[in-house]
Amino acid sequence: MGKSAADEKILSYNDVVLRRSDLDILSGPYYLNDRIIEFYFSLLSSSHPSEDILLVPPSIAFWITNCPDVDGLKDFLEPLKLPDKNLVIFPVNNNDDVSLAEGGSHWSLLAYYRSANIFVHHDSNQQMNKRHAMKLFKSVVGYNGGPSSTSNDKYQECIDTPQQVNGYDCGLHVTATARTICSWYESSENKDGTDLWFSALKEHVTPSVVGEMRKEILGLIKDLMAKQ
């Protein structure tokens, strides 16, 4: 496929523009890019419209992690209204080069749950992104509770996070994990303060479920394309 064909816009959904090349990524065993994860997070936001939930786009999470200007970061975070959110989900990428768009080679997920004052890092490849998740946590934790509050938020590595079975499905693990956490949050079941959503992940983020996510997201995109 030529460059112009690969760059062809195929779908605009909320603020996300998908291109022909994104379909190719989903059609094969390839690493998910920022756009596909942002599309799925936007879709989840529409499915879970609670004002308590925020799914942060990859580009925003990356800038929070790597912003060199503390004052600039404060202004940047203000529109996100983090003090008003009870559940915030950040995608984590291991790209260290702010000049390189869509760099990195691994995705993981950092989830903040205000009711338990905790940030939990879920990494499908043996805590490969621990350093990057900690950097994101340290960048955002001071802005989480409003201008006059002192943060008591803790950081936890979830060592029981379901693990990927290949070298390219980390992004799919992020999408499946985000979906499961949002569903857990909105369920009517009692939320155990110690277990959180961990049991739900073991049940719903399995190799078969993750494997089907690729076809599922591709199907969702094609359905939306047919309606536009």
Side-chain angles (χ1 to χ4, degrees):
M1 183 184 294
K3 180 171 174 49
S4 59
D7 286 342
E8 176 193 353
K9 295 179 182 179
I10 58 165
L11 179 67
S12 293
Y13 182 81
N14 294 338
D15 294 328
V16 187
V17 176
L18 293 177
R19 302 183 182 277
R20 181 72 55 187
S21 56
D22 298 322
L23 295 184
D24 295 336
I25 288 172
L26 287 166
S27 298
Y30 303 117
Y31 171 86
L32 297 196
N33 61 13
D34 293 39
R35 283 196 302 271
I36 296 171
I37 291 178
E38 183 174 1
F39 163 76
Y40 193 76
F41 273 28
S42 185
L43 202 69
L44 275 181
S45 294
S46 298
S47 303
H48 300 276
S50 169
E51 290 294 321
D52 293 342
I53 299 175
L54 175 65
L55 291 111
V56 180
S59 58
I60 302 297
F62 178 72
W63 183 246
I64 294 170
T65 306
N66 296 283
C67 180
D69 177 11
V70 174
D71 292 331
L73 179 59
K74 180 181 179 181
D75 294 337
F76 184 78
L77 289 172
E78 193 170 336
L80 298 181
K81 300 180 179 178
L82 292 177
D84 299 335
K85 308 301 179 184
N86 197 34
L87 176 66
V88 185
I89 295 177
F90 303 88
V92 181
N93 190 273
N94 65 347
N95 180 18
D96 287 314
D97 187 351
V98 294
S99 67
L100 181 62
E102 297 194 1
S105 60
H106 183 56
W107 292 105
S108 59
L109 181 147
L110 184 67
Y112 172 64
Y113 185 41
R114 183 176 302 280
S115 295
N117 294 115
I118 196 164
F119 284 80
V120 182
H121 183 220
H122 293 281
D123 194 326
S124 61
N125 190 10
Q126 301 178 345
Q127 303 177 37
M128 180 176 175
N129 276 2
K130 181 178 181 179
R131 176 172 64 85
H132 301 85
M134 279 292 298
K135 188 177 179 182
L136 174 55
F137 163 72
K138 290 176 180 177
S139 294
V140 78
V141 68
Y143 303 97
N144 226 23
S148 60
S149 66
T150 301
S151 177
N152 294 314
D153 297 328
K154 304 176 291 293
Y155 175 93
Q156 177 180 336
E157 284 284 333
C158 181
I159 58 174
D160 292 331
T161 296
Q163 298 292 287
Q164 63 195 79
V165 295
N166 53 48
Y168 45 80
D169 275 351
C170 53
L172 294 172
H173 270 264
V174 166
T175 58
T177 299
R179 178 177 65 182
T180 301
I181 294 174
C182 287
S183 296
W184 169 87
Y185 181 79
E186 290 204 330
S187 73
S188 59
E189 299 173 9
N190 291 326
K191 300 176 178 62
D192 188 319
T194 55
D195 184 59
L196 296 176
W197 48 80
F198 301 159
S199 294
L201 290 187
K202 289 181 181 179
E203 182 179 352
H204 297 292
V205 184
T206 63
S208 60
V209 168
V210 171
E212 288 297 314
M213 284 292 295
R214 194 177 291 273
K215 288 190 291 186
E216 181 180 331
I217 297 172
L218 185 61
L220 289 168
I221 292 171
K222 290 184 174 179
D223 286 346
L224 289 168
M225 287 172 64
K227 294 176 183 176
Q228 68 177 7

